Amino acid sequence: MAQRPLDVLHNSLESSVLVGLKGGKEYRGTLKGYDVHMNVVLQNADELKDDTAVRRLGVIIIRGDNIVFISP
Amino acid sequence: MAQRPLDVLHNSLESSVLVGLKGGKEYRGTLKGYDVHMNVVLQNADELKDDTAVRRLGVIIIRGDNIVFISP
Amino acid sequence: MAQRPLDVLHNSLESSVLVGLKGGKEYRGTLKGYDVHMNVVLQNADELKDDTAVRRLGVIIIRGDNIVFISP
Amino acid sequence: MAQRPLDVLHNSLESSVLVGLKGGKEYRGTLKGYDVHMNVVLQNADELKDDTAVRRLGVIIIRGDNIVFISP
Amino acid sequence: MAQRPLDVLHNSLESSVLVGLKGGKEYRGTLKGYDVHMNVVLQNADELKDDTAVRRLGVIIIRGDNIVFISP
Amino acid sequence: MAQRPLDVLHNSLESSVLVGLKGGKEYRGTLKGYDVHMNVVLQNADELKDDTAVRRLGVIIIRGDNIVFISP
Amino acid sequence: MAQRPLDVLHNSLESSVLVGLKGGKEYRGTLKGYDVHMNVVLQNADELKDDTAVRRLGVIIIRGDNIVFISP
Protein backbone atom coordinates (compact mmCIF):
# COMPACT_ATOMS: atom_id res chain seq x y z
CA MET A 1 0.00 0.00 0.00
CA ALA A 2 3.13 2.10 -0.16
CA GLN A 3 2.43 5.62 1.22
CA ARG A 4 -0.77 4.96 3.14
CA PRO A 5 -3.11 7.94 3.33
CA LEU A 6 -2.91 8.18 7.13
CA ASP A 7 0.89 8.07 7.01
CA VAL A 8 0.92 10.97 4.59
CA LEU A 9 -1.42 12.80 6.94
CA HIS A 10 0.86 12.01 9.87
CA ASN A 11 3.87 13.39 8.06
CA SER A 12 1.94 16.62 7.46
CA LEU A 13 1.50 17.42 11.16
CA GLU A 14 2.53 21.00 11.94
CA SER A 15 2.50 21.85 8.24
CA SER A 16 0.03 23.92 6.29
CA VAL A 17 -2.63 21.82 4.52
CA LEU A 18 -5.51 22.60 2.18
CA VAL A 19 -8.73 20.73 3.00
CA GLY A 20 -11.46 20.50 0.35
CA LEU A 21 -15.01 19.70 1.44
CA LYS A 22 -18.11 18.39 -0.28
CA GLY A 23 -19.98 21.37 -1.68
CA GLY A 24 -16.77 23.15 -2.59
CA LYS A 25 -15.68 24.99 0.56
CA GLU A 26 -12.00 24.81 1.34
CA TYR A 27 -10.00 25.46 4.50
CA ARG A 28 -6.31 26.15 4.87
CA GLY A 29 -4.50 25.89 8.17
CA THR A 30 -1.78 24.14 10.15
CA LEU A 31 -2.56 20.46 10.73
CA LYS A 32 -2.45 19.91 14.50
CA GLY A 33 -4.10 16.49 14.73
CA TYR A 34 -6.29 13.85 13.12
CA ASP A 35 -7.86 10.48 13.83
CA VAL A 36 -8.63 7.30 11.87
CA HIS A 37 -11.89 8.78 10.53
CA MET A 38 -9.79 11.60 8.98
CA ASN A 39 -11.37 14.07 11.34
CA VAL A 40 -8.72 16.78 11.44
CA VAL A 41 -7.74 19.70 13.66
CA LEU A 42 -6.45 22.86 11.96
CA GLN A 43 -4.93 25.91 13.61
CA ASN A 44 -4.99 29.42 12.13
CA ALA A 45 -7.64 28.11 9.77
CA ASP A 46 -9.03 30.28 7.01
CA GLU A 47 -12.18 29.48 5.08
CA LEU A 48 -11.49 30.01 1.40
CA LYS A 49 -13.70 30.81 -1.54
CA ASP A 50 -11.99 30.75 -4.93
CA ASP A 51 -8.60 30.61 -3.17
CA THR A 52 -9.35 33.76 -1.17
CA ALA A 53 -9.72 33.77 2.63
CA VAL A 54 -13.28 34.82 3.45
CA ARG A 55 -13.27 34.04 7.17
CA ARG A 56 -10.69 33.39 9.87
CA LEU A 57 -11.76 30.54 12.15
CA GLY A 58 -8.71 29.99 14.32
CA VAL A 59 -8.81 26.43 15.63
CA ILE A 60 -11.25 24.18 13.79
CA ILE A 61 -12.21 20.52 13.98
CA ILE A 62 -13.41 19.24 10.59
CA ARG A 63 -15.37 15.98 10.46
CA GLY A 64 -13.80 13.51 8.09
CA ASP A 65 -16.94 12.51 6.30
CA ASN A 66 -17.24 15.98 4.75
CA ILE A 67 -13.72 15.93 3.42
CA VAL A 68 -13.04 15.31 -0.25
CA PHE A 69 -9.29 15.85 -0.22
CA ILE A 70 -6.40 16.97 1.94
CA SER A 71 -3.39 18.43 0.21
CA PRO A 72 -0.23 18.91 2.29
CA MET B 1 -1.93 11.95 16.01
CA ALA B 2 -0.96 14.91 18.15
CA GLN B 3 -4.05 16.92 19.14
CA ARG B 4 -6.77 14.40 18.44
CA PRO B 5 -10.09 15.91 17.40
CA LEU B 6 -11.97 14.52 20.42
CA ASP B 7 -9.30 15.86 22.78
CA VAL B 8 -9.70 19.32 21.31
CA LEU B 9 -13.44 18.94 21.77
CA HIS B 10 -12.93 17.83 25.35
CA ASN B 11 -10.79 20.86 26.10
CA SER B 12 -13.58 23.09 24.77
CA LEU B 13 -16.14 21.97 27.36
CA GLU B 14 -17.83 24.95 29.03
CA SER B 15 -16.50 27.25 26.31
CA SER B 16 -18.34 28.91 23.46
CA VAL B 17 -18.09 26.99 20.17
CA LEU B 18 -19.29 27.61 16.64
CA VAL B 19 -20.81 24.54 14.96
CA GLY B 20 -21.20 24.53 11.17
CA LEU B 21 -23.67 22.10 9.59
CA LYS B 22 -24.17 20.64 6.14
CA GLY B 23 -26.37 23.04 4.21
CA GLY B 24 -24.77 26.06 5.82
CA LYS B 25 -26.62 26.58 9.09
CA GLU B 26 -24.45 27.45 12.06
CA TYR B 27 -25.02 27.33 15.79
CA ARG B 28 -23.12 29.07 18.54
CA GLY B 29 -23.40 28.10 22.19
CA THR B 30 -21.59 26.76 25.23
CA LEU B 31 -20.35 23.20 24.75
CA LYS B 32 -21.82 21.13 27.58
CA GLY B 33 -21.14 17.63 26.32
CA TYR B 34 -20.34 15.37 23.39
CA ASP B 35 -19.88 11.70 22.52
CA VAL B 36 -17.67 9.66 20.20
CA HIS B 37 -20.00 10.28 17.25
CA MET B 38 -19.39 14.02 17.74
CA ASN B 39 -22.99 14.46 18.77
CA VAL B 40 -22.77 17.61 20.88
CA VAL B 41 -24.83 19.41 23.51
CA LEU B 42 -24.89 23.22 23.41
CA GLN B 43 -26.39 25.56 25.99
CA ASN B 44 -27.63 29.08 25.23
CA ALA B 45 -27.51 28.08 21.60
CA ASP B 46 -28.29 30.56 18.86
CA GLU B 47 -29.00 29.61 15.27
CA LEU B 48 -27.01 31.89 13.00
CA LYS B 49 -27.49 33.05 9.46
CA ASP B 50 -24.62 35.09 8.01
CA ASP B 51 -23.15 35.44 11.53
CA THR B 52 -26.40 36.88 12.88
CA ALA B 53 -28.52 35.10 15.51
CA VAL B 54 -31.89 34.32 13.93
CA ARG B 55 -33.28 32.06 16.64
CA ARG B 56 -32.55 31.28 20.28
CA LEU B 57 -32.79 27.55 20.97
CA GLY B 58 -31.52 27.26 24.54
CA VAL B 59 -30.25 23.71 25.05
CA ILE B 60 -29.73 21.78 21.83
CA ILE B 61 -28.44 18.32 20.94
CA ILE B 62 -26.86 18.31 17.48
CA ARG B 63 -26.29 14.98 15.76
CA GLY B 64 -22.71 14.55 14.71
CA ASP B 65 -23.36 13.35 11.19
CA ASN B 66 -24.73 16.79 10.23
CA ILE B 67 -21.69 18.60 11.51
CA VAL B 68 -19.07 19.94 9.11
CA PHE B 69 -16.88 21.73 11.62
CA ILE B 70 -16.63 22.76 15.25
CA SER B 71 -14.59 25.82 16.05
CA PRO B 72 -13.74 26.45 19.72
CA MET C 1 -17.81 14.12 28.20
CA ALA C 2 -19.85 15.97 30.77
CA GLN C 3 -23.52 16.07 29.71
CA ARG C 4 -23.59 13.30 27.14
CA PRO C 5 -26.14 13.81 24.38
CA LEU C 6 -28.12 10.66 25.26
CA ASP C 7 -28.24 11.70 28.94
CA VAL C 8 -29.70 15.05 27.96
CA LEU C 9 -32.23 13.18 25.83
CA HIS C 10 -33.06 10.90 28.74
CA ASN C 11 -33.66 13.85 31.02
CA SER C 12 -36.09 15.27 28.47
CA LEU C 13 -38.47 12.29 28.64
CA GLU C 14 -42.08 13.40 29.15
CA SER C 15 -41.12 16.97 28.22
CA SER C 16 -41.87 18.91 25.06
CA VAL C 17 -39.03 18.83 22.53
CA LEU C 18 -38.42 20.45 19.16
CA VAL C 19 -36.91 18.10 16.56
CA GLY C 20 -35.30 19.60 13.45
CA LEU C 21 -34.84 17.40 10.39
CA LYS C 22 -32.66 17.52 7.30
CA GLY C 23 -34.52 19.54 4.70
CA GLY C 24 -35.91 21.91 7.28
CA LYS C 25 -39.06 20.23 8.61
CA GLU C 26 -39.55 20.43 12.35
CA TYR C 27 -41.70 18.50 14.77
CA ARG C 28 -42.75 19.44 18.27
CA GLY C 29 -44.19 16.96 20.73
CA THR C 30 -43.74 15.17 24.05
CA LEU C 31 -40.68 12.91 24.07
CA LYS C 32 -41.92 9.44 25.02
CA GLY C 33 -38.89 7.35 24.13
CA TYR C 34 -35.67 7.05 22.20
CA ASP C 35 -32.89 4.56 21.43
CA VAL C 36 -29.14 4.70 20.88
CA HIS C 37 -29.59 5.65 17.19
CA MET C 38 -31.49 8.75 18.39
CA ASN C 39 -34.66 7.35 16.89
CA VAL C 40 -37.31 9.12 18.98
CA VAL C 41 -40.98 8.70 19.82
CA LEU C 42 -43.08 11.86 20.14
CA GLN C 43 -46.67 12.14 21.38
CA ASN C 44 -49.08 14.89 20.40
CA ALA C 45 -46.64 15.70 17.62
CA ASP C 46 -47.19 18.64 15.33
CA GLU C 47 -45.36 19.16 12.05
CA LEU C 48 -44.19 22.75 11.89
CA LYS C 49 -43.39 25.06 9.03
CA ASP C 50 -41.90 28.41 10.03
CA ASP C 51 -42.84 27.72 13.67
CA THR C 52 -46.50 27.14 12.73
CA ALA C 53 -48.22 23.78 13.15
CA VAL C 54 -49.26 22.59 9.70
CA ARG C 55 -50.28 19.03 10.58
CA ARG C 56 -51.15 17.09 13.72
CA LEU C 57 -49.59 13.62 13.68
CA GLY C 58 -50.32 12.30 17.16
CA VAL C 59 -47.76 9.60 17.96
CA ILE C 60 -44.75 9.60 15.66
CA ILE C 61 -41.52 7.61 15.43
CA ILE C 62 -38.75 9.69 13.84
CA ARG C 63 -35.67 7.90 12.53
CA GLY C 64 -32.52 9.30 14.01
CA ASP C 65 -30.56 9.60 10.81
CA ASN C 66 -32.91 12.36 9.58
CA ILE C 67 -32.51 14.40 12.73
CA VAL C 68 -30.31 17.49 12.76
CA PHE C 69 -31.07 18.65 16.28
CA ILE C 70 -33.28 18.01 19.28
CA SER C 71 -33.99 20.95 21.56
CA PRO C 72 -35.60 20.16 24.93
CA MET D 1 -35.63 4.84 27.28
CA ALA D 2 -39.29 4.52 28.12
CA GLN D 3 -41.30 3.72 24.96
CA ARG D 4 -38.54 2.56 22.68
CA PRO D 5 -39.16 3.24 19.00
CA LEU D 6 -39.20 -0.46 18.04
CA ASP D 7 -41.65 -1.24 20.84
CA VAL D 8 -44.01 1.40 19.53
CA LEU D 9 -43.63 -0.13 16.09
CA HIS D 10 -44.34 -3.57 17.49
CA ASN D 11 -47.52 -2.36 19.16
CA SER D 12 -48.67 -0.97 15.81
CA LEU D 13 -48.69 -4.35 14.07
CA GLU D 14 -51.98 -4.97 12.24
CA SER D 15 -52.86 -1.28 12.56
CA SER D 16 -52.88 1.41 9.92
CA VAL D 17 -49.69 3.50 9.84
CA LEU D 18 -48.52 6.51 7.87
CA VAL D 19 -44.92 6.25 6.62
CA GLY D 20 -43.15 9.43 5.51
CA LEU D 21 -40.10 9.11 3.24
CA LYS D 22 -37.19 11.34 2.34
CA GLY D 23 -38.26 13.47 -0.61
CA GLY D 24 -41.79 13.79 0.71
CA LYS D 25 -43.63 10.68 -0.51
CA GLU D 26 -45.91 9.05 2.02
CA TYR D 27 -47.47 5.61 2.22
CA ARG D 28 -50.43 4.47 4.28
CA GLY D 29 -51.21 0.84 4.94
CA THR D 30 -51.57 -1.90 7.53
CA LEU D 31 -48.27 -2.67 9.26
CA LYS D 32 -47.64 -6.39 8.79
CA GLY D 33 -44.01 -6.61 9.84
CA TYR D 34 -40.72 -4.86 10.44
CA ASP D 35 -37.11 -5.55 11.38
CA VAL D 36 -34.40 -3.83 13.39
CA HIS D 37 -33.41 -1.62 10.45
CA MET D 38 -37.00 -0.28 10.46
CA ASN D 39 -37.61 -1.93 7.12
CA VAL D 40 -41.39 -2.35 7.18
CA VAL D 41 -44.04 -4.39 5.39
CA LEU D 42 -47.35 -2.70 4.63
CA GLN D 43 -50.51 -4.31 3.29
CA ASN D 44 -53.18 -2.48 1.29
CA ALA D 45 -50.63 0.27 0.86
CA ASP D 46 -51.51 3.49 -0.89
CA GLU D 47 -48.95 6.00 -2.12
CA LEU D 48 -50.08 9.46 -1.08
CA LYS D 49 -49.42 12.90 -2.47
CA ASP D 50 -50.77 15.78 -0.36
CA ASP D 51 -52.80 13.28 1.68
CA THR D 52 -54.48 11.87 -1.45
CA ALA D 53 -53.99 8.28 -2.63
CA VAL D 54 -52.31 8.43 -6.03
CA ARG D 55 -51.44 4.75 -6.43
CA ARG D 56 -52.49 1.47 -4.84
CA LEU D 57 -49.49 -0.79 -4.25
CA GLY D 58 -50.97 -3.66 -2.24
CA VAL D 59 -48.15 -5.31 -0.30
CA ILE D 60 -45.00 -3.22 -0.09
CA ILE D 61 -41.63 -3.58 1.61
CA ILE D 62 -40.14 -0.17 2.43
CA ARG D 63 -36.43 0.06 3.24
CA GLY D 64 -35.83 1.72 6.56
CA ASP D 65 -33.10 4.06 5.45
CA ASN D 66 -35.59 6.00 3.31
CA ILE D 67 -38.03 6.47 6.17
CA VAL D 68 -38.29 9.80 7.96
CA PHE D 69 -41.18 8.95 10.26
CA ILE D 70 -43.79 6.32 11.02
CA SER D 71 -47.00 7.48 12.61
CA PRO D 72 -49.31 4.80 14.01
CA MET E 1 -41.98 -8.83 14.03
CA ALA E 2 -44.67 -10.84 12.28
CA GLN E 3 -44.02 -10.83 8.49
CA ARG E 4 -40.39 -9.81 8.43
CA PRO E 5 -39.37 -7.87 5.33
CA LEU E 6 -36.86 -10.52 4.19
CA ASP E 7 -39.45 -13.28 4.62
CA VAL E 8 -41.86 -11.38 2.39
CA LEU E 9 -39.05 -11.01 -0.12
CA HIS E 10 -38.30 -14.72 0.10
CA ASN E 11 -41.91 -15.59 -0.58
CA SER E 12 -41.82 -13.43 -3.69
CA LEU E 13 -39.08 -15.45 -5.39
CA GLU E 14 -40.03 -16.36 -8.97
CA SER E 15 -42.85 -13.79 -8.88
CA SER E 16 -43.06 -10.43 -10.59
CA VAL E 17 -42.05 -7.52 -8.35
CA LEU E 18 -41.97 -3.76 -8.74
CA VAL E 19 -38.80 -2.11 -7.38
CA GLY E 20 -38.81 1.64 -6.72
CA LEU E 21 -35.49 3.47 -6.48
CA LYS E 22 -34.34 6.76 -5.03
CA GLY E 23 -34.79 9.41 -7.70
CA GLY E 24 -37.99 7.81 -8.96
CA LYS E 25 -36.89 5.12 -11.43
CA GLU E 26 -38.75 1.84 -11.17
CA TYR E 27 -37.98 -1.65 -12.42
CA ARG E 28 -40.35 -4.56 -12.91
CA GLY E 29 -39.17 -8.11 -13.32
CA THR E 30 -39.16 -11.63 -11.91
CA LEU E 31 -37.37 -11.84 -8.55
CA LYS E 32 -34.65 -14.47 -8.92
CA GLY E 33 -32.61 -13.78 -5.79
CA TYR E 34 -31.67 -11.40 -3.01
CA ASP E 35 -29.33 -11.05 -0.06
CA VAL E 36 -29.48 -9.53 3.42
CA HIS E 37 -28.60 -6.06 2.07
CA MET E 38 -31.74 -6.28 -0.09
CA ASN E 39 -29.60 -6.40 -3.19
CA VAL E 40 -31.92 -8.14 -5.64
CA VAL E 41 -31.67 -10.01 -8.92
CA LEU E 42 -34.45 -9.51 -11.45
CA GLN E 43 -35.02 -11.39 -14.69
CA ASN E 44 -36.84 -10.00 -17.73
CA ALA E 45 -36.45 -6.61 -16.09
CA ASP E 46 -37.99 -3.51 -17.62
CA GLU E 47 -37.06 0.02 -16.61
CA LEU E 48 -40.26 2.00 -16.17
CA LYS E 49 -41.06 5.68 -16.40
CA ASP E 50 -44.61 6.63 -15.37
CA ASP E 51 -45.57 2.94 -15.42
CA THR E 52 -44.38 2.53 -19.02
CA ALA E 53 -41.45 0.28 -19.97
CA VAL E 54 -38.73 2.49 -21.46
CA ARG E 55 -35.91 -0.05 -21.61
CA ARG E 56 -35.55 -3.81 -21.45
CA LEU E 57 -32.57 -4.84 -19.32
CA GLY E 58 -32.95 -8.61 -19.09
CA VAL E 59 -31.12 -9.80 -15.98
CA ILE E 60 -30.27 -7.02 -13.56
CA ILE E 61 -28.65 -6.83 -10.12
CA ILE E 62 -29.96 -3.84 -8.17
CA ARG E 63 -27.99 -2.65 -5.13
CA GLY E 64 -30.16 -2.50 -2.04
CA ASP E 65 -29.09 0.90 -0.86
CA ASN E 66 -30.78 2.52 -3.86
CA ILE E 67 -34.08 0.78 -3.23
CA VAL E 68 -37.00 2.64 -1.68
CA PHE E 69 -39.59 -0.10 -1.92
CA ILE E 70 -40.24 -3.55 -3.32
CA SER E 71 -43.81 -4.45 -4.07
CA PRO E 72 -44.55 -8.12 -4.82
CA MET F 1 -32.07 -16.67 -1.58
CA ALA F 2 -31.91 -18.54 -4.85
CA GLN F 3 -29.61 -16.67 -7.31
CA ARG F 4 -27.72 -14.47 -4.90
CA PRO F 5 -26.57 -11.15 -6.35
CA LEU F 6 -22.87 -11.92 -5.88
CA ASP F 7 -23.28 -15.32 -7.54
CA VAL F 8 -24.86 -13.66 -10.55
CA LEU F 9 -21.94 -11.24 -10.60
CA HIS F 10 -19.48 -14.11 -10.35
CA ASN F 11 -21.09 -15.86 -13.31
CA SER F 12 -20.69 -12.68 -15.35
CA LEU F 13 -16.90 -12.61 -15.08
CA GLU F 14 -15.26 -12.15 -18.50
CA SER F 15 -18.62 -11.09 -19.97
CA SER F 16 -19.80 -7.65 -21.03
CA VAL F 17 -21.84 -5.88 -18.35
CA LEU F 18 -23.71 -2.58 -18.17
CA VAL F 19 -23.16 -0.66 -14.91
CA GLY F 20 -25.58 2.14 -13.99
CA LEU F 21 -24.49 4.75 -11.46
CA LYS F 22 -26.26 7.24 -9.24
CA GLY F 23 -26.72 10.42 -11.25
CA GLY F 24 -27.36 8.49 -14.44
CA LYS F 25 -23.92 7.76 -15.90
CA GLU F 26 -23.45 4.28 -17.28
CA TYR F 27 -20.39 2.22 -18.12
CA ARG F 28 -20.10 -0.83 -20.34
CA GLY F 29 -17.14 -3.15 -20.28
CA THR F 30 -15.87 -6.64 -19.62
CA LEU F 31 -16.21 -7.64 -15.96
CA LYS F 32 -12.74 -8.64 -14.76
CA GLY F 33 -13.31 -8.70 -11.01
CA TYR F 34 -15.36 -7.61 -8.04
CA ASP F 35 -15.44 -7.76 -4.26
CA VAL F 36 -18.10 -8.09 -1.56
CA HIS F 37 -18.77 -4.33 -1.61
CA MET F 38 -19.70 -4.69 -5.30
CA ASN F 39 -16.67 -2.67 -6.27
CA VAL F 40 -16.06 -3.87 -9.82
CA VAL F 41 -13.23 -3.90 -12.34
CA LEU F 42 -14.14 -3.39 -15.99
CA GLN F 43 -11.86 -3.74 -19.01
CA ASN F 44 -12.37 -1.93 -22.31
CA ALA F 45 -14.80 0.29 -20.44
CA ASP F 46 -16.80 2.95 -22.24
CA GLU F 47 -18.64 5.75 -20.49
CA LEU F 48 -22.10 6.03 -22.00
CA LYS F 49 -24.57 8.85 -22.29
CA ASP F 50 -27.98 7.90 -23.68
CA ASP F 51 -26.55 4.53 -24.77
CA THR F 52 -23.76 6.20 -26.75
CA ALA F 53 -20.07 5.83 -25.84
CA VAL F 54 -18.74 9.28 -24.96
CA ARG F 55 -15.37 8.29 -23.53
CA ARG F 56 -13.11 5.24 -23.60
CA LEU F 57 -11.59 4.57 -20.18
CA GLY F 58 -9.86 1.21 -20.68
CA VAL F 59 -9.51 -0.45 -17.28
CA ILE F 60 -11.68 1.10 -14.60
CA ILE F 61 -12.38 0.35 -10.93
CA ILE F 62 -15.89 1.48 -9.97
CA ARG F 63 -16.73 1.85 -6.27
CA GLY F 64 -19.77 -0.17 -5.33
CA ASP F 65 -21.53 2.52 -3.36
CA ASN F 66 -22.09 4.54 -6.55
CA ILE F 67 -23.65 1.63 -8.39
CA VAL F 68 -27.40 1.42 -8.91
CA PHE F 69 -27.49 -1.67 -11.08
CA ILE F 70 -25.32 -4.14 -12.93
CA SER F 71 -26.83 -5.86 -15.92
CA PRO F 72 -24.92 -8.82 -17.36
CA MET G 1 -13.42 -12.73 -7.80
CA ALA G 2 -10.65 -12.77 -10.37
CA GLN G 3 -8.94 -9.33 -10.53
CA ARG G 4 -10.09 -7.87 -7.24
CA PRO G 5 -10.45 -4.10 -7.23
CA LEU G 6 -7.76 -3.59 -4.57
CA ASP G 7 -5.35 -5.80 -6.47
CA VAL G 8 -5.82 -3.71 -9.59
CA LEU G 9 -5.20 -0.63 -7.46
CA HIS G 10 -2.08 -2.20 -6.02
CA ASN G 11 -0.73 -2.95 -9.47
CA SER G 12 -1.25 0.71 -10.40
CA LEU G 13 1.15 2.02 -7.73
CA GLU G 14 3.65 4.49 -9.21
CA SER G 15 1.54 4.78 -12.36
CA SER G 16 -0.64 7.65 -13.53
CA VAL G 17 -4.32 7.19 -12.63
CA LEU G 18 -7.48 9.16 -13.33
CA VAL G 19 -9.78 9.51 -10.30
CA GLY G 20 -13.41 10.54 -10.85
CA LEU G 21 -15.37 11.98 -7.94
CA LYS G 22 -19.03 12.43 -7.13
CA GLY G 23 -20.12 15.76 -8.57
CA GLY G 24 -17.91 15.33 -11.61
CA LYS G 25 -14.47 16.60 -10.57
CA GLU G 26 -11.55 14.51 -11.71
CA TYR G 27 -7.94 14.28 -10.61
CA ARG G 28 -4.97 12.84 -12.44
CA GLY G 29 -1.73 11.99 -10.74
CA THR G 30 0.75 9.28 -9.83
CA LEU G 31 -0.73 6.74 -7.39
CA LYS G 32 1.58 6.67 -4.36
CA GLY G 33 -0.62 4.78 -1.89
CA TYR G 34 -4.07 3.63 -0.87
CA ASP G 35 -5.90 1.82 1.92
CA VAL G 36 -8.82 -0.58 2.20
CA HIS G 37 -11.34 2.29 2.15
CA MET G 38 -9.94 3.26 -1.27
CA ASN G 39 -8.56 6.43 0.19
CA VAL G 40 -5.74 7.22 -2.23
CA VAL G 41 -2.59 9.33 -2.31
CA LEU G 42 -1.68 11.01 -5.59
CA GLN G 43 1.52 12.86 -6.43
CA ASN G 44 1.79 15.62 -9.04
CA ALA G 45 -1.98 15.75 -8.95
CA ASP G 46 -3.93 17.99 -11.29
CA GLU G 47 -7.59 18.86 -10.84
CA LEU G 48 -9.31 18.50 -14.18
CA LYS G 49 -12.40 20.05 -15.67
CA ASP G 50 -13.47 18.65 -19.04
CA ASP G 51 -10.10 16.87 -19.32
CA THR G 52 -8.17 20.12 -18.82
CA ALA G 53 -5.96 20.76 -15.78
CA VAL G 54 -7.41 23.70 -13.87
CA ARG G 55 -5.30 23.47 -10.73
CA ARG G 56 -2.05 21.82 -9.69
CA LEU G 57 -2.34 20.31 -6.18
CA GLY G 58 0.93 18.41 -5.82
CA VAL G 59 0.41 15.68 -3.23
CA ILE G 60 -3.22 14.99 -2.44
CA ILE G 61 -5.07 12.53 -0.21
CA ILE G 62 -8.53 11.76 -1.62
CA ARG G 63 -11.10 10.14 0.65
CA GLY G 64 -12.49 6.98 -0.82
CA ASP G 65 -16.13 7.68 -0.19
CA ASN G 66 -16.06 10.53 -2.72
CA ILE G 67 -14.59 8.38 -5.43
CA VAL G 68 -16.74 7.07 -8.27
CA PHE G 69 -14.00 5.44 -10.32
CA ILE G 70 -10.27 5.01 -10.60
CA SER G 71 -8.85 4.34 -14.03
CA PRO G 72 -5.21 3.22 -14.21
Side-chain angles (χ1 to χ4, degrees):
Chain A
M1 291 183 184
Q3 294 180 30
R4 291 167 188 260
L6 288 180
D7 293 346
V8 174
L9 207 51
H10 191 81
N11 292 333
S12 306
L13 281 169
E14 302 301 329
S15 304
S16 173
V17 296
L18 177 70
V19 179
L21 302 191
K22 295 175 186 174
K25 271 192 192 162
E26 297 185 348
Y27 294 90
R28 181 175 289 286
T30 305
L31 184 66
K32 299 301 287 185
Y34 68 94
D35 62 25
V36 293
H37 307 293
M38 276 205 205
N39 300 321
V40 297
V41 179
L42 301 187
Q43 203 178 46
N44 298 326
D46 284 316
E47 190 177 311
L48 310 176
K49 202 115 212 185
D50 301 321
D51 291 328
T52 310
V54 293
R55 188 161 58 153
R56 156 112 337 184
L57 283 161
V59 172
I60 186 173
I61 302 162
I62 303 178
R63 286 189 87 243
D65 79 342
N66 300 288
I67 295 176
V68 176
F69 70 81
I70 302 174
S71 183
Chain B
M1 292 182 184
Q3 294 180 31
R4 290 167 189 261
L6 288 180
D7 293 346
V8 175
L9 207 51
H10 191 80
N11 292 333
S12 306
L13 281 169
E14 302 300 330
S15 306
S16 173
V17 297
L18 177 70
V19 180
L21 303 190
K22 296 175 185 172
K25 273 193 191 160
E26 296 185 349
Y27 295 90
R28 182 176 288 285
T30 305
L31 183 66
K32 299 301 288 185
Y34 67 94
D35 62 24
V36 293
H37 306 294
M38 276 206 205
N39 300 321
V40 298
V41 179
L42 301 186
Q43 203 177 45
N44 299 326
D46 284 316
E47 190 176 311
L48 310 176
K49 202 115 212 187
D50 300 322
D51 290 327
T52 310
V54 293
R55 189 160 59 152
R56 156 106 345 177
L57 281 161
V59 172
I60 186 173
I61 302 162
I62 303 178
R63 286 189 86 242
D65 79 343
N66 300 288
I67 295 177
V68 175
F69 70 82
I70 302 175
S71 183
Chain C
M1 292 181 182
Q3 294 180 32
R4 289 166 190 262
L6 288 180
D7 293 346
V8 174
L9 207 51
H10 191 80
N11 292 334
S12 305
L13 281 170
E14 303 299 331
S15 305
S16 174
V17 296
L18 178 69
V19 180
L21 303 191
K22 295 176 185 172
K25 271 192 191 161
E26 296 185 348
Y27 295 90
R28 182 175 287 286
T30 304
L31 183 65
K32 299 301 288 184
Y34 68 94
D35 62 24
V36 293
H37 306 294
M38 277 207 203
N39 300 320
V40 298
V41 179
L42 302 186
Q43 204 177 44
N44 299 325
D46 284 316
E47 190 176 309
L48 309 176
K49 201 116 213 187
D50 301 320
D51 290 328
T52 310
V54 294
R55 189 160 61 152
R56 156 109 340 181
L57 282 161
V59 172
I60 186 173
I61 303 162
I62 303 178
R63 287 189 86 243
D65 79 343
N66 299 288
I67 295 177
V68 175
F69 70 81
I70 301 174
S71 183
Chain D
M1 292 181 182
Q3 293 181 31
R4 289 167 190 262
L6 288 181
D7 293 346
V8 175
L9 208 51
H10 192 80
N11 293 333
S12 305
L13 281 170
E14 302 300 330
S15 304
S16 173
V17 296
L18 178 69
V19 179
L21 302 191
K22 295 175 185 171
K25 271 191 191 163
E26 297 185 349
Y27 294 91
R28 182 175 287 286
T30 304
L31 183 65
K32 299 301 288 184
Y34 67 95
D35 62 25
V36 293
H37 307 293
M38 278 206 202
N39 300 320
V40 298
V41 179
L42 301 185
Q43 202 177 44
N44 298 326
D46 283 317
E47 190 176 309
L48 310 176
K49 201 115 212 188
D50 302 320
D51 290 328
T52 309
V54 294
R55 188 160 61 153
R56 156 103 349 176
L57 281 162
V59 172
I60 186 173
I61 302 161
I62 303 178
R63 287 189 86 243
D65 78 342
N66 299 289
I67 295 177
V68 175
F69 70 82
I70 302 174
S71 184
Chain E
M1 293 182 181
Q3 294 180 32
R4 290 166 190 263
L6 288 181
D7 292 347
V8 174
L9 208 51
H10 191 80
N11 293 334
S12 306
L13 281 170
E14 302 300 329
S15 305
S16 174
V17 296
L18 178 69
V19 179
L21 302 192
K22 295 176 186 170
K25 270 192 191 163
E26 297 185 349
Y27 294 91
R28 182 176 288 287
T30 304
L31 183 65
K32 299 301 288 183
Y34 68 95
D35 62 25
V36 293
H37 307 292
M38 277 206 204
N39 300 321
V40 298
V41 178
L42 301 185
Q43 201 177 47
N44 297 326
D46 284 317
E47 189 176 309
L48 308 177
K49 202 117 214 186
D50 302 320
D51 291 329
T52 309
V54 294
R55 187 160 61 152
R56 157 101 353 173
L57 281 162
V59 172
I60 185 172
I61 302 162
I62 303 178
R63 286 189 86 242
D65 79 342
N66 300 288
I67 295 177
V68 175
F69 71 82
I70 303 174
S71 184
Chain F
M1 293 183 183
Q3 294 181 32
R4 291 167 189 262
L6 288 181
D7 293 346
V8 174
L9 208 51
H10 191 80
N11 293 333
S12 305
L13 281 170
E14 302 300 330
S15 304
S16 174
V17 297
L18 178 69
V19 179
L21 302 192
K22 296 175 185 172
K25 270 191 192 164
E26 297 184 350
Y27 293 90
R28 181 175 289 286
T30 304
L31 183 65
K32 298 301 287 184
Y34 68 95
D35 62 25
V36 292
H37 307 292
M38 276 207 204
N39 300 321
V40 298
V41 178
L42 301 186
Q43 200 177 48
N44 298 326
D46 284 316
E47 190 177 308
L48 309 177
K49 202 117 213 186
D50 303 320
D51 291 329
T52 309
V54 293
R55 187 159 61 153
R56 156 100 356 171
L57 282 162
V59 172
I60 185 172
I61 303 162
I62 304 178
R63 286 190 86 244
D65 79 342
N66 300 288
I67 295 177
V68 175
F69 71 82
I70 302 174
S71 183
Chain G
M1 292 183 184
Q3 293 180 32
R4 292 167 188 261
L6 288 181
D7 293 346
V8 173
L9 208 51
H10 191 80
N11 292 333
S12 305
L13 281 170
E14 302 300 330
S15 304
S16 174
V17 297
L18 178 70
V19 179
L21 302 191
K22 296 175 186 173
K25 271 191 192 164
E26 297 185 348
Y27 294 91
R28 181 176 288 286
T30 304
L31 184 65
K32 299 301 288 185
Y34 67 94
D35 61 26
V36 292
H37 308 292
M38 275 205 204
N39 300 320
V40 297
V41 179
L42 301 186
Q43 202 178 46
N44 298 325
D46 284 315
E47 189 177 310
L48 309 176
K49 202 116 213 185
D50 302 321
D51 291 329
T52 310
V54 293
R55 188 159 60 153
R56 156 105 348 177
L57 282 161
V59 172
I60 186 173
I61 303 163
I62 303 178
R63 286 189 87 243
D65 78 343
N66 300 288
I67 295 176
V68 175
F69 71 81
I70 302 174
S71 183

